[in-house]
Every structure is written in C-alpha cells, then in structure tokens.
Amino acid sequence: MPRFSIVVPVFKVQGFLRECLDSVLTQSYTDFEMIAVDDRSPDGCGAILDEYAARDPRVRVLHLPENVGLGRARNAGLPHAGGDFLLFLDSDDTLTPGALRAIADRLEETGDPDVLVFDYARTYWWGGIRRNVLARVLAESGEGTFTAAERPEILDLLMVVWNKAYRRDYVTGHGLAFPPGYYEDTPWTFPALLSARRIATLDRICVSYRQRRQGNILSTTSRRHFDVHDQYERVFAYLDAHPELASWRPYLRRKMGEHCLDILAKPDRLPACDKGEFFRRTADLFRTHGTGEPVPAELRVLEGGYAGYLLRQRAATVAGALGRRRRQARAVAAGQVKRGWSWAHERRPLDPNLAVYSAFRHRGVLGDPAAIHRAARDLAPHIRGVWVVRPDQAEHLPPDIEYVFPGSLGYLRVTARATYFVNNVNWPGTLAKRPGSVHIHTHRGTPLKYMGADLRDKPGARLGVDVPQMLRRADRWDYSLVANRHSELVWDRAYPCDFTSVRSGSPRNDVLVDAKPGDGAAFRFRHGIPEEHTVVLYAPTLRDYVRGGHIDRFDLTRFAEDLGEGHTLVVRLHPSLADGPARGMGLAELHRRGVLVDATDEPHVEEVILASDALVTDYSALMFDYANLDRPIVVHADDWGAFRAARGAYFDITEEAPGHVSRSYRELAWLFASGCWRDEESARLRAGFRARFCAFDDGRAAERVVRTLMLGEPDVRTSVPAPAAGHSEALAPSP
C-alpha cells in the first residue's frame, strides 16, 4: 500500500500535462501512485497519459467513456486509490520540488491527521509568482493538530481540494464525494474541514497554481457560475445531516454571501443579462438560511433588490474615483510644500558636522555604512550621524540611532544641509548634490557579475534596470571604496563617472580581519547550535535568467542529511528574496523542524559568517568577504554557463576559485563526505584568492575612511583619481 494516491483529472491540457506529470514523477519521495483520469479529452492528453503509464508503473490511467466534468472525474479515480492519504492535483498545475517529502514528514510528525493543509503560489503566464496572501495562517497554526472550531481562520484559506492531503479512511468513512458542476470543491472542502477531529498545517509551498492567460474554467463567461448556489445548498444539507455542526450555519451563510457577491462583481464571470437573476438567486439563498444573527454591513445589500445593489456599486466606483483624486491632490500639494521647504533649506550653508547614512535601500544600520558610522562615533564624535530607514525598519534600530524616513520633512532637512553622504546603494534621483558635499559610495562587495554600464549588453540582467539613470546617480559620487585592485578596475569601467577610487578596504570586513575565537558564538547560541558542531553556511545568489531570481539548486534536506552528525547547515538567501516565495518553497518549514537554520532574516551577515566553519556558495559576492577568515570555501557552479550568459562575469570563477568547485550535487556531497573541502589544495586555492581579492582589507578600513575622507588626514591609499594605464587590457570582460 503506497503512502499517497495522487488523483489527477485531465481535460484539454495537452500543453501543460507533461510538466504536471513530471513534477510528480521526479519527486525525491517515491512512495506514491498516480491515478490519472482522462475525462474524454478531445486533444492528445490520452496518448500522453498512456505514454507515461507505459514507462512508469506508478501511473495508472482511466479513460472515461464520456466527459463528466472535473468533480466526477476525481470521483472516478477514488475507488482505485489504495494509498494512506489522498492528494488531488489539477493537470495544469505542478508540485514543487520536494513537496511530497515535506508532506510525508509533516504527516508523520503530526501522527497522521485527518487533513493536512499546505500552501501554494500562483504562477502567472507572464512569469510572475505570488504566494498565498494568507500564508501566515499556516505558520501561526502551531505544531500540533486542531479542529476548525479551535482555529476557524483555517476556513479563510482558499476553499480548494488540491492544497490538502486527506487520510483515505477519513474520506471513505464520511462518504465525501464531488458533485457535478462548477465550484465542486466547495461541498467537499467545507465538510472535510468542519468534520475533521485532527487538522494539521504545513507552512510550505507545495503546489504551483497556474494562472493561465486563457482557458481557465472559472474565468469563462457563462451561466455555469449559477452552479455555486447548488454547491452551497449541498453544504447546508451536510449541516442538516450533522446536527453537531449546526453552529457553523451563520459562518457559512456569510461565506456564501461573500463568495457569490465576489462572483457577481467579477467582470468576466456572468453574462450581463444574467447578473440580475444571479443576484436574486443569491439573495433568496441568503434569506432561506438566515438564523436571526445580525447581518454584516457588507452583506446588507442582499436584503434589498438588484437596483439597490447597482446603486451601491456605482456609488462605490464614484467614491473610489473621488478618493483617488483627493489623494493625488494631497500628494501634489504636499510635494509643492516639500519642494518649497527644501529649496529654502538649500539656500542655507552646509553643516560641516552632519553626515547622512543609508544601506541596502534604507533597510537599516547595516554593511559598510554601519561600520563607517561606528568608527565616526569614536574618531569624530562632533559629526552628527543620521540614518535614512524605511518606516517598517524603525522598530529594529538600536535605541541610540537618530533616523528619518525617506521623503519626510526630516529627510529633506538633513539631506539639504548634510556635508557627508554614505551609502552602498545609489541615492534617489530626487537628491540634488550640493557643491561642497562629499558622497562616499561603499558598494556592496567585490564584483563578480557585470555591473553598471556593462549591463547594457546583457538583456537578462537589465530587467527593470535603467542604466543611464543609474549612471546619472553615480555622477554624484566623490569617492568609491575598493578592497582590491580588481574592484578598482571594475568600477572605473562599469561607472564611467568622475570619482576618486579609495583603496580603503571594505569597512564591514574589519570584524572579519580582526576575528577572534568565540566570535559568532552569540549566533550559535541564539539558534541552538552546539559548540562542537561544524557549521556549513550555504549562501546562493540571484539568478537573472529566471523571473523572481531564485532556483533551488539542490535538495537542502538531503544536503543536511549528507553532512551527517556533528554538522549544522545554515542557509542565507539573497536579501531581495527574503519577502518573496523562495522561503515558502521549503526553507521556513525546514527551519521550524530543525533540519537547518534559516539565517535570511539575520540583519548582520558578519555574525552569520563568523559563526560558520565553511562556506558553500555559487556566485555570491559573499565569498570575497569570507576569504578574509581563511576558512574553506566551496563554489557550487552547476549552472555557471547559464548564469554567465544571462548576467555576464568579469572572470571565470570556476577557473579562479577560492576552493574546490562542484558542478553537480553528487560532486558537492562527495567533497564533504571525503573531507576534500578542507584539504591542502583547498587551502592553496584560498590563499591565492585571498591575496588577490582581500589585498586592501587590513582591519582598519572604517577608521581609514573616517580619518581621510571626513577628518582630512593623509593616507597613502586614498588618491587614485584616474583609470590606470592598461586598464582595458587588465580587465577584459569574459566572453
């Protein structure tokens, strides 16, 4: 008996079907059967299913003699299911890599609940990805099991069948089946969740829910959307047959009203001539199942007629338009006031003792600017430092940090009069550079991939990047900090602007150069990592050849297991992926279960680096900083060709690596299993890399910047105003 039976109804999806089937059959977890139901599809779906069944015994195909619709096609597959748990997958959707393993592990952890609810992400035809907006419900549901009465918010999730795993004995014991018609999930999922004694959740994206440009049934204009009324009647009939669930009637009545009004408001669902009838059917159903409970304000329109509904809709449209106009007018007026106020302040002299700092687009007191700010407090306490931070970051700042929000009057006040500007990202184009001000650009590390003007010939890397505007903003730089000769040459090439290169070293790397035994212990303690464990840090970078920038290069669970006892895997995604769907693909769940440590939210990457014993990365600039520690580095370059073609690279990291290079997961696992990751060859490669790319890092970079650029003290490294002779030969771009 397999662990899972996966029922896949199939109809007119020949263009997507192979992708769906492959997403299941290539799962690392293999204890399942697939029951594919050909719902008399008129295209080539049947032949595709037979082809897959012929080569994989886990696939069983049912060819129905007539088309019966999505719900009944699922029903046809149920008698053939022999697995412990049932999963349903629509044939234009896909399972994410590792989904079945994650589901199986969570079921075992929670003792085989009646229903397990997991997450999904919408994947749009144009390439966008958006995670379920209510994913927090899954994360906040706790580690054990519960009932719908204990956590009713579980019913706020999308009422579909395919984001859940069902214990087969539970389904058969309650006689659950799908009705005909549209919205067939409704009379399945509500009863399934309301009757379940044990529900568990999995905070992981397991299904990619395809949003097709055309062909989506529920986006088809048709009277078939009237089926929703019959489906809710079936839900209420289930309540009638189960008196113990009677208390749910007011809730379900409200959900029905909201659902039907949402369908009515959609422009592409109902023919215009049928909308009045749909409203009246909805209102009748709403009245029929009334319980004497107060009617929510947003549903009171169902107590009146269709004419009243139309008036309300038109009033809402007019109110929305007026609201937008008022907001626009207020924004224009506020802008005029701010411009006038800023102009007045710009007529005043610069404050020689005022410095403004920002890092990573105002994300906090971080990176090189933070290191310079700390040094300035010690060496130049007369210079007042003010940070520009986003409002959502203010609560995370140390209590002694003075800050302003972008675009506020406080921001305009300090940027109008500051002498020093320190940033690792370009300041907004609205910031005018006043004569006498000093702009110090720290960058965000040593460049491997193309930057600035070099992106012009790399369309994949230029997505959303305005190179001319980038260079106009870079024209404000007075000083460009570099940690090595390579960076100096790259910035001269990539940013053809009038600035002076400063051979200062990277200020944020001072703590790495001066690292002492015990540094990083606070991070280990915070995450419960035993002192004796070898910590392997995995830090992948963005991919410019995929929308969203993230691809799982290998199975993190398998890597953590292959590292073995006495090891802890720490993963840090690129900061730009912190709020996207990447972590929902499994990282957050693996962190919760203790399989690995997710350090993506750690504000200070230096702490994460110091807590680790080895680095595995692909093409992240983190490797250049990490080399200062003289600890092993492994470069995992399984897609180096695609990465370089899309983004461009200044040299071949696989030929000039800071350690061993793996080109497949098998090679990566072997490096650690054999111990080669820290052998003499690794040390030799690392020494050469460190000599080249850490040449100016001596632990005094922040001090040097403050003394030379703020206090005017001399330093032999500071003045390199023009590109060196032979520049173009020294930095030929990789083909």
Side-chain angles (χ1 to χ4, degrees):
M1 178 185 297
R3 185 61 166 160
F4 298 125
S5 292
I6 305 172
V7 179
V8 183
V10 179
F11 182 73
K12 293 181 68 173
V13 288
Q14 63 181 8
F16 307 110
L17 183 55
R18 291 182 185 275
E19 186 178 356
C20 171
L21 300 177
D22 289 341
S23 77
V24 177
L25 299 176
T26 58
Q27 290 282 312
S28 59
Y29 187 88
T30 60
D31 188 14
F32 66 85
E33 63 178 359
M34 179 192 291
I35 302 164
V37 183
D38 173 17
D39 190 17
R40 193 68 176 177
S41 186
D43 55 8
C45 286
I48 293 173
L49 293 176
D50 290 338
E51 172 193 331
Y52 274 76
R55 67 172 187 248
D56 195 318
R58 294 173 298 177
V59 181
R60 183 186 310 176
V61 180
L62 303 178
H63 294 284
L64 301 185
E66 59 180 355
N67 177 254
V68 296
L70 184 58
R72 288 184 170 177
R74 289 174 181 150
N75 288 341
L78 288 178
H80 300 273
D84 297 330
F85 279 83
L86 296 171
L87 291 169
F88 298 92
L89 182 67
D90 287 355
S91 49
D92 55 351
D93 297 337
T94 57
L95 291 182
T96 61
L100 290 185
R101 166 62 66 184
I103 294 171
D105 289 345
R106 183 64 174 144
L107 290 172
E108 181 178 0
E109 182 182 30
T110 54
D112 285 6
D114 298 328
V115 182
L116 174 70
V117 186
F118 44 81
D119 206 6
Y120 65 92
R122 285 180 166 86
T123 57
Y124 294 88
W125 62 270
W126 43 267
I129 300 175
R130 183 168 66 90
R131 188 177 185 181
N132 164 30
V133 295
L134 292 177
R136 58 172 179 77
V137 172
L138 300 174
E140 296 169 358
S141 293
E143 298 193 6
T145 61
F146 55 90
T147 64
E150 292 168 334
R151 292 190 177 275
E153 61 271 18
I154 198 70
L155 299 176
D156 293 332
L157 296 171
L158 192 64
M159 282 290 105
V160 290
V161 68
W162 44 256
N163 65 346
K164 303 171 185 72
Y166 309 86
R167 188 164 52 82
R168 186 168 60 88
D169 289 346
Y170 170 71
V171 169
T172 56
H174 283 73
L176 296 178
F178 293 94
Y182 283 12
Y183 306 99
E184 76 292 335
D185 289 359
T186 301
W188 170 289
T189 50
F190 277 121
L193 289 175
L194 293 178
S195 293
R197 295 182 179 276
R198 301 177 66 247
I199 301 171
T201 60
L202 171 61
D203 180 22
R204 186 195 194 278
I205 298 171
C206 295
V207 174
S208 293
Y209 177 26
R210 189 186 300 275
Q211 306 295 289
R212 293 157 63 179
R213 186 171 182 265
Q214 292 180 330
N216 185 301
I217 293 176
L218 293 185
S219 294
T220 303
T221 303
S222 166
R223 280 187 59 87
R224 295 289 303 277
H225 293 283
F226 279 78
D227 290 351
V228 71
H229 300 120
D230 293 335
Q231 308 298 20
Y232 274 101
E233 287 283 24
R234 292 184 172 99
V235 174
F236 289 119
Y238 187 85
L239 294 187
D240 293 338
H242 296 79
E244 70 277 10
L245 301 178
S247 61
W248 286 102
R249 187 174 295 273
Y251 174 86
L252 290 171
R253 180 185 184 229
R254 176 171 62 81
K255 293 292 285 188
M256 180 274 296
E258 292 172 349
H259 192 176
C260 291
L261 287 179
D262 181 66
I263 294 171
L264 185 60
K266 292 285 196 302
D268 58 351
R269 298 292 172 88
L270 294 160
C273 60
D274 293 325
K275 289 190 174 184
E277 181 185 351
F278 186 90
F279 176 87
R280 289 186 287 274
R281 287 275 301 274
T282 300
D284 289 344
L285 187 60
F286 192 75
R287 284 190 293 270
T288 298
H289 294 285
T291 59
E293 298 282 337
V295 177
E298 66 273 14
L299 297 180
R300 289 174 190 162
V301 66
L302 291 173
E303 297 181 316
Y306 183 57
Y309 167 80
L310 291 177
L311 286 174
R312 178 175 171 173
Q313 291 296 100
R314 290 167 186 163
T317 301
V318 171
L322 291 175
R324 286 192 296 272
R325 291 176 185 174
R326 283 195 295 268
R327 288 191 295 272
Q328 291 169 354
R330 284 196 296 268
V332 170
Q336 292 173 342
V337 170
K338 288 181 178 179
R339 283 193 293 272
W341 191 92
S342 180
W343 179 81
H345 272 261
E346 288 175 358
R347 294 173 63 86
R348 300 172 62 188
L350 294 178
D351 183 344
N353 296 320
L354 178 59
V356 180
Y357 298 86
S358 180
F360 301 104
R361 295 182 176 86
H362 317 315
R363 284 182 45 239
V365 182
L366 305 167
D368 290 312
I372 295 171
H373 180 232
R374 286 194 298 270
R377 282 184 157 186
D378 292 336
L379 302 172
H382 61 284
I383 297 179
R384 173 188 167 208
V386 181
W387 280 84
V388 182
V389 297
R390 299 186 326 219
D392 62 320
Q393 296 298 320
E395 63 181 295
H396 305 299
L397 298 178
D400 59 344
I401 293 296
E402 184 179 355
Y403 62 90
V404 294
F405 296 144
S408 66
L409 289 178
Y411 169 85
L412 296 176
R413 183 185 300 116
V414 296
T415 56
R417 300 202 57 209
T419 293
Y420 304 103
F421 290 80
V422 184
N423 202 343
N424 64 2
V425 179
N426 268 324
W427 292 97
T430 53
L431 178 63
K433 186 181 190 304
R434 294 186 64 185
S437 63
V438 177
H439 282 242
I440 302 169
H441 192 75
T442 73
H443 302 283
R444 287 177 288 174
T446 294
L448 169 63
K449 54 193 176 187
Y450 275 13
M451 305 292 288
D454 289 332
L455 296 177
R456 289 173 298 179
D457 297 327
K458 292 293 178 182
R462 278 199 58 195
L463 183 65
V465 176
D466 185 338
V467 173
Q469 182 188 64
M470 182 191 302
L471 298 183
R472 285 192 295 271
R473 294 177 177 181
D475 283 332
R476 295 174 297 197
W477 301 352
D478 292 292
Y479 298 105
S480 166
L481 307 189
V482 298
N484 48 65
R485 177 66 169 154
H486 164 79
S487 295
E488 186 178 305
L489 297 177
V490 166
W491 301 138
D492 282 342
R493 170 196 175 94
Y495 294 97
C497 306
D498 187 19
F499 58 81
T500 296
S501 289
V502 181
R503 296 176 178 179
S504 59
S506 294
R508 70 181 181 280
N509 287 345
D510 289 345
V511 296
L512 305 181
V513 176
D514 298 331
K516 300 178 293 297
D519 288 350
F523 174 89
R524 287 187 175 225
F525 177 78
R526 206 160 53 241
H527 292 283
I529 302 173
E531 292 183 14
E532 68 277 9
H533 269 214
T534 298
V535 174
V536 177
L537 170 61
Y538 174 51
T541 193
L542 289 169
R543 263 59 179 180
D544 292 289
Y545 60 85
V546 292
R547 191 180 293 270
H550 178 71
I551 302 177
D552 285 319
R553 303 312 310 168
F554 50 79
D555 186 337
L556 294 175
T557 303
R558 181 179 177 186
F559 187 40
E561 292 174 350
D562 288 346
L563 287 175
E565 291 292 330
H567 293 75
T568 294
L569 177 62
V570 175
V571 179
R572 182 178 175 86
L573 298 181
H574 192 279
S576 64
L577 299 174
D579 299 323
R583 295 168 78 183
M585 293 294 184
L587 186 57
E589 172 65 8
L590 294 177
H591 175 84
R592 185 196 65 79
R593 289 173 46 212
V595 174
L596 51 75
V597 173
D598 177 9
T600 305
D601 282 338
E602 288 287 334
H604 303 291
V605 68
E606 299 86 359
E607 283 192 62
V608 184
I609 290 174
L610 288 167
S612 66
D613 298 296
L615 170 67
V616 176
T617 187
D618 34 42
Y619 325 114
S620 170
L622 197 68
M623 75 176 85
F624 298 97
D625 303 333
Y626 200 88
N628 280 288
L629 290 176
D630 195 22
R631 297 176 188 174
I633 301 172
V634 173
V635 175
H636 186 59
D638 65 331
D639 66 339
W640 173 239
F643 181 88
R644 185 164 59 171
R647 177 70 193 222
Y650 291 110
F651 65 93
D652 188 342
I653 191 63
T654 65
E655 296 295 329
E656 303 174 67
H660 290 294
V661 177
S662 60
R663 298 181 182 274
S664 67
Y665 176 75
R666 183 178 181 181
E667 292 181 6
L668 176 63
W670 178 84
L671 284 172
F672 280 90
S674 66
C676 290
W677 62 279
R678 54 183 175 186
D679 62 9
E680 291 183 3
E681 177 66 6
S682 169
R684 184 189 69 79
L685 293 169
R686 187 167 66 252
F689 191 86
R690 190 170 65 257
R692 179 181 179 188
F693 294 109
C694 304
F696 303 153
D697 283 334
D698 61 358
R700 297 183 56 220
E703 174 190 350
R704 183 173 293 112
V705 170
V706 174
R707 290 190 181 281
T708 60
L709 304 186
M710 292 182 168
L711 297 179
E713 298 177 7
D715 187 276
V716 294
R717 295 187 185 180
T718 58
S719 183
V720 188
H727 163 209
S728 59
E729 290 79 14
L731 187 70
S734 299

